[in-house]
Amino acid sequence: MNYQEALALFYTLNWDDENTFYNQEFGDSYLQLKPLDRTEVADNKEIKVEILIDEYLIKFAVTAVTMSEATALIKYYFEHDKIGNIDSYGVGYP
């Protein structure tokens, strides 16, 4: 799958369904995008981002983003195989 196909897939997903998610592997990690619960949406940030930051599948960098920011992350991880700057993210555990 290339970037354009991934972007098309992202836009066809039903982001109003809490069971929807988009996963993209890069390097030894992955990016996961999920819709936020409607009670958590603020400043048009309606997508929850989780980026795996340890090899044991336990620790994730977590934040909320807009749809536009989500597509920028998809593009970034098509072009890079390492985790970018996640200073603005929190730490989450499954």
Side-chain angles (χ1 to χ4, degrees):
M1 178 177 287
N2 64 33
Y3 167 68
Q4 292 301 326
E5 292 168 328
L7 198 58
L9 173 64
F10 174 82
Y11 282 118
T12 62
L13 295 173
N14 178 2
W15 292 104
D16 292 323
D17 179 353
E18 64 185 35
N19 296 313
T20 292
F21 65 92
Y22 171 95
N23 273 1
Q24 178 176 319
E25 293 183 4
F26 63 94
D28 293 331
S29 192
Y30 71 85
L31 165 74
Q32 184 172 82
L33 305 172
K34 300 188 267 190
L36 281 172
D37 182 281
R38 289 293 162 209
T39 62
E40 300 175 303
V41 173
D43 299 326
N44 287 333
K45 296 187 179 210
E46 54 191 318
I47 304 287
K48 178 180 182 182
V49 177
E50 293 182 351
I51 299 172
L52 177 67
I53 56 176
D54 80 342
E55 66 273 16
Y56 303 109
L57 300 173
I58 296 173
K59 194 190 291 186
F60 296 85
V62 180
T63 195
V65 297
T66 63
M67 294 291 274
S68 175
E69 290 167 329
T71 59
L73 283 167
I74 292 170
K75 182 174 184 176
Y76 177 87
Y77 288 113
F78 259 96
E79 297 173 349
H80 301 86
D81 66 353
K82 295 185 179 173
I83 295 173
N85 183 344
I86 54 174
D87 291 343
S88 63
Y89 287 53
V91 176
Y93 300 89

